[in-house]
Amino acid sequence: MSNINGSFQDTALLSVLVSEAFAGVDITRRHPALYRILLADPNMQEAFLDALETLEQERNGTLEPLPCLSEFIGTGQQPVITPDDIKILLGIEKA
């Protein structure tokens, strides 16, 4: 499990750890083997911390809307997000 870029196992592991940690569970005790995997992978660590930060911002009401969605907020219009929009947001392609 050395690559967080799309492996179902990595995504599932990260989801469990983020959900449990955000709920206040001591993941070092409940999931020691998974926690060691997290510690061994800098990409997974970064994704874990980013996910926790995003959840905390959402809970506090300070989460900023995605740039491509901000123009639709309060208009009643449904945004259409294309695969190209997602690639730009993820930094895979430039606008």
Side-chain angles (χ1 to χ4, degrees), residues 75-89:
T75 66
Q77 294 178 309
Q78 285 282 43
V80 176
I81 301 173
T82 67
D84 290 335
D85 292 332
I86 294 169
K87 289 176 185 175
I88 291 168
L89 289 169

Side-chain angles (χ1 to χ4, degrees), residues 17 28 32-42 44-45:
L17 293 177
T28 65
L34 299 181
Y35 185 69
R36 284 192 297 276
I37 292 169
L38 174 67
L39 290 179
D41 188 333
M44 191 173 290
Q45 289 174 33

Side-chain angles (χ1 to χ4, degrees), residues 16-38:
V16 167
L17 293 177
V18 168
S19 296
E20 296 268 303
F22 191 67
V25 172
D26 181 352
I27 60 173
T28 65
R29 291 184 186 271
R30 184 173 286 176
H31 306 288
L34 299 181
Y35 185 69
R36 284 192 297 276
I37 292 169
L38 174 67

Side-chain angles (χ1 to χ4, degrees), residues 26-69:
D26 181 352
I27 60 173
T28 65
R29 291 184 186 271
R30 184 173 286 176
H31 306 288
L34 299 181
Y35 185 69
R36 284 192 297 276
I37 292 169
L38 174 67
L39 290 179
D41 188 333
N43 291 329
M44 191 173 290
Q45 289 174 33
E46 183 177 350
F48 175 81
L49 294 173
D50 287 347
L52 284 178
E53 180 181 355
T54 300
L55 288 171
E56 188 62 36
Q57 288 174 347
E58 183 179 44
R59 179 180 8 198
N60 295 335
T62 60
L63 184 63
E64 293 291 322
L66 294 173
C68 67
L69 298 179

